[in-house]
Amino acid sequence: MEDEFRENGDMDFPDIGDDDPEETVQVCPVCGSMELYYEAGGVEGLYHCKNCGYIGSFIVEANEEMARLIREEYENKGRNTAL
C-alpha cells in the first residue's frame, strides 16, 4: 500500500491524456445557439438567448457535435409543431 504514495505523500495517478483538451462553447440548452448574454448578474446570473428567448441560469458547455445535435433537435421540434 505504501508504494502507491510518492515520497511527498501524494498519490501517483496515471496520465489520462489531457494534453489535447476538447474545445467547448457555451450554448443555449433549448436551441443550441451561442448567442447568449447575461440578463441579470449576481452569483447565479441569468442568461438570455437571442435566438429562442430562453432565460435561465442553466447553460450547456458543449463541443461542436453536441451543439449541432441540440440545434437539430430544436429545429425538428419546430417543424413538428408547425402543422
Side-chain angles (χ1 to χ4, degrees), residues 21-81:
E22 188 172 23
E23 289 191 30
T24 60
V25 294
Q26 295 178 338
V27 299
C28 173
V30 175
C31 70
S33 172
M34 293 184 293
E35 296 294 320
L36 298 168
Y37 65 93
Y38 266 127
E39 182 70 24
V43 176
E44 293 186 27
L46 296 176
Y47 291 92
H48 189 169
C49 176
K50 294 180 182 180
N51 186 51
C52 72
Y54 165 79
I55 297 176
S57 60
F58 178 75
I59 58 169
V60 177
E61 284 282 332
N63 61 19
E64 188 176 316
E65 175 70 11
M66 184 180 210
R68 184 184 61 77
L69 290 172
I70 294 170
R71 285 191 297 271
E72 285 177 2
E73 183 176 337
Y74 178 76
E75 291 169 2
N76 287 337
K77 284 181 182 179
R79 288 186 201 124
N80 292 337
T81 59

